[in-house]
């Protein structure tokens, strides 16, 4: 996997290569590119780029003074797009909604299409169910204790804990991969805490999401009808807010639609891309 040195530190990213339209797929907290492992095979002909942002599952710590706040992470993503010279991309997010802040930060000039998949929005940074973890991360030693929770079956799979992210369950080997960096590295736990405790006040969150009304290019909202973390009405509000948005609702899924319903997600995505100047012709 390639690594690029950015202002905050080294960033790993997966690049499937090829001349096709570019999709940039971001991940949740603390997750990595394997969040999309079921969807990638369903996107033939596209060049898919999946950065592992420093949300807690990254392998190499960031610089001690790195800005890893919600805003800082969005700016880091913008820096990656610039350094890789990626243009007319389709930016796709799931779970973590921070990539939308490229719009509020005036950094969305490289984004041709925007796709929000069951993600944080409005005043839901982070979702209410996650806020006890945020409180824990503020306490000295709290992130270490959090990693102990990561190792328990109850936390991993209970629908009112981390298991609530997926209706049909996330395999333990995938969870092991996501949780290992913070479990074994104090510096990664430092980075995780920086991000996890960085949500701005409610009025700032609403202002940042509200700037999506300025995004004058095609947008797709894909929402899960049975999501416990991302309110159903947020999907409809986003579709009303974005000037050129389409809303697709997917059943039998929670937040991680790439995990629960990859085929339905890929179908909605490729249909949207074909209708908005980023389709592919397969031979």
């Amino acid at each position: 996997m390639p690594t690029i040195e950015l202002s905050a530190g080294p960033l790993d990213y997966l690049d499937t290569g090829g001349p096709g339209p570019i999709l940039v797929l971001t991940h949740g907290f603390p997750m990595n590119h394997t969040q999309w492992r079921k969807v990638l095979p369903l996107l033939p002909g596209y060049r898919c780029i999946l950065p592992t942002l420093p949300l807690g599952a990254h392998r190499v710590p960031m610089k001690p003074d790195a800005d890893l706040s919600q805003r800082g992470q969005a700016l880091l993503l913008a820096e990656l797009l610039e350094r890789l010279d990626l243009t007319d991309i389709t930016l796709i997010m799931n779970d973590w909604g921070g990539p939308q802040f490229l719009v509020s930060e005036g950094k969305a000039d490289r984004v041709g299409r925007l796709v929000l998949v069951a993600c944080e929005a409005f005043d839901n940074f982070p979702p209410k169910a996650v806020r006890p973890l945020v409180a824990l991360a503020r306490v000295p030693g709290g992130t270490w204790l959090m990693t102990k929770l990561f190792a328990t079956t109850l936390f991993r799979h209970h629908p009112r804990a981390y298991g609530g992210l997926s209706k049909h369950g996330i395999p333990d080997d995938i969870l092991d991969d996501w949780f290992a960096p913070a479990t074994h590295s104090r510096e990664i736990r430092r980075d995780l805490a920086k991000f996890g405790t960085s949500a701005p006040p409610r009025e700032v969150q609403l202002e940042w999401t509200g700037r999506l009304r300025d995004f004058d290019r095609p947008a797709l909202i894909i929402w899960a009808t049975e999501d416990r973390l991302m309110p159903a009405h947020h999907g409809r509000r986003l579709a009303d807010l974005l000037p050129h948005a389409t809303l697709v609702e997917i059943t039998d899924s929670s937040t991680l639609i790439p995990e629960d319903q990859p085929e339905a997600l890929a179908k909605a995505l490729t249909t949207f891309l074909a209708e908005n100047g980023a389709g592919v012709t397969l031979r």
Side-chain angles (χ1 to χ4, degrees), residues 26-276:
T26 64
H27 57 81
F29 164 84
M31 306 175 198
N32 60 26
H33 67 282
T34 60
Q35 181 175 333
W36 297 97
R37 71 194 185 284
K38 295 181 180 179
V39 178
L40 287 186
L42 307 177
L43 301 173
Y46 288 96
R47 179 186 176 191
C48 298
I49 296 177
L50 299 90
T52 296
L53 296 162
L55 306 187
H58 53 300
R59 301 289 170 180
V60 180
M62 296 292 104
K63 297 176 182 178
D65 62 348
D67 178 4
L68 303 182
S69 65
Q70 295 277 350
R71 178 177 180 271
Q73 298 274 0
L75 293 175
L76 190 62
L77 177 60
E79 183 182 350
L80 175 69
L81 301 182
E82 181 180 359
R83 287 284 305 279
L84 296 180
D85 194 24
L86 304 176
T87 58
D88 193 33
I89 71 160
T90 300
L91 179 59
I92 306 166
M93 67 199 78
N94 173 229
D95 186 50
W96 179 52
Q100 68 185 266
F101 300 147
L102 267 65
V103 178
S104 59
E105 292 297 322
K107 297 287 187 179
D109 54 303
R110 295 176 179 271
V111 180
R113 289 152 296 277
L114 191 62
V115 181
L116 294 90
V117 181
C119 64
E120 297 163 321
F122 301 106
D123 57 352
N124 198 40
F125 289 85
K128 291 181 180 179
V130 180
R131 292 174 192 176
L133 287 179
V134 171
L136 184 60
R138 296 184 186 279
V139 177
T143 53
W144 175 85
L145 181 57
M146 192 185 303
T147 65
K148 300 305 177 186
L149 290 175
F150 288 166
T152 66
T153 299
L154 180 63
F155 180 82
R156 287 178 169 217
H157 300 299
H158 195 282
R160 295 191 179 275
Y162 208 83
L165 285 167
S166 169
K167 185 175 178 181
H168 301 292
I170 307 167
D172 276 311
D173 62 327
I174 298 297
L175 293 173
D176 288 342
D177 185 51
W178 292 352
F179 297 154
T183 298
H184 300 299
S185 168
R186 178 180 297 179
E187 290 78 13
I188 298 292
R189 292 196 294 274
R190 174 203 65 201
D191 293 348
L192 181 154
K194 276 189 181 185
F195 169 73
T197 60
S198 71
R202 178 177 183 272
E203 59 271 18
V204 176
Q205 297 182 34
L206 291 171
E207 177 187 351
W208 285 356
T209 295
R211 290 289 301 277
L212 288 175
R213 66 173 58 91
D214 300 331
F215 188 77
D216 59 358
R217 281 141 276 168
L220 175 64
I221 315 301
I222 304 178
W223 226 253
T225 59
E226 298 167 55
D227 196 337
R228 294 172 177 265
L229 300 181
M230 313 301 171
H233 70 276
H234 278 190
R236 295 187 288 272
R237 284 178 64 187
L238 287 168
D240 290 339
L241 180 64
L242 284 147
H244 305 287
T246 300
L247 172 64
V248 174
E249 294 183 322
I250 292 180
T251 61
D252 196 27
S253 180
S254 190
T255 305
L256 294 186
I257 301 177
E259 189 71 35
D260 287 339
Q261 296 294 337
E263 292 84 3
L265 173 57
K267 181 179 179 181
L269 179 57
T270 53
T271 299
F272 166 77
L273 294 169
E275 292 173 348
N276 290 281

